[in-house]
Amino acid sequence: QVQLVESGGGLVQAGGSLRLSCAASGRTFSSYTMGWFRQAPGKEREFVARIHWSGRTDYTDSVKGRFTIDKDNAKNTVYLQMNSLKAEDTAVYYCSLRFTGTSVDYWGQGTQVTVSS
């Protein structure tokens, strides 16, 4: 079984920054993709960013140039640096992990990010 634990959420003013972390544990890790999704009140969960085992990154258009995803393979941890935050970034942010060659997604419990305008 895989456990994902997020941290780093909180309340910040518009234009500010936060750094989210997600630590994975529970089994031997081979190659995988880790990512971040978010869900705002009354909306569906949406993709934010992902980083592949190779280091290649993908972002949704609304966060390009403001958010950066990176990882520490030795710690099985992924980070999301969020700069120039906007009120519309307010959501619960979820970490995800998918092992290469599988279709099973593991999820964290979520961390709240609130941006005040």
Side-chain angles (χ1 to χ4, degrees), residues 2 27-33 97-102 104 106:
V2 173
R27 58 171 276 186
T28 301
F29 288 86
S30 55
S31 62
Y32 53 82
T33 295
L97 181 149
R98 178 181 292 192
F99 291 103
T100 303
T102 72
V104 176
Y106 296 92

Side-chain angles (χ1 to χ4, degrees), residues 29-57:
F29 288 86
S30 55
S31 62
Y32 53 82
T33 295
M34 292 187 75
W36 292 94
F37 289 71
R38 65 186 180 187
Q39 188 167 18
K43 295 187 177 181
E44 294 187 353
R45 190 173 299 189
E46 65 173 357
F47 165 75
V48 177
R50 70 169 64 93
I51 184 164
H52 300 266
W53 184 251
S54 65
R56 180 171 64 90
T57 57

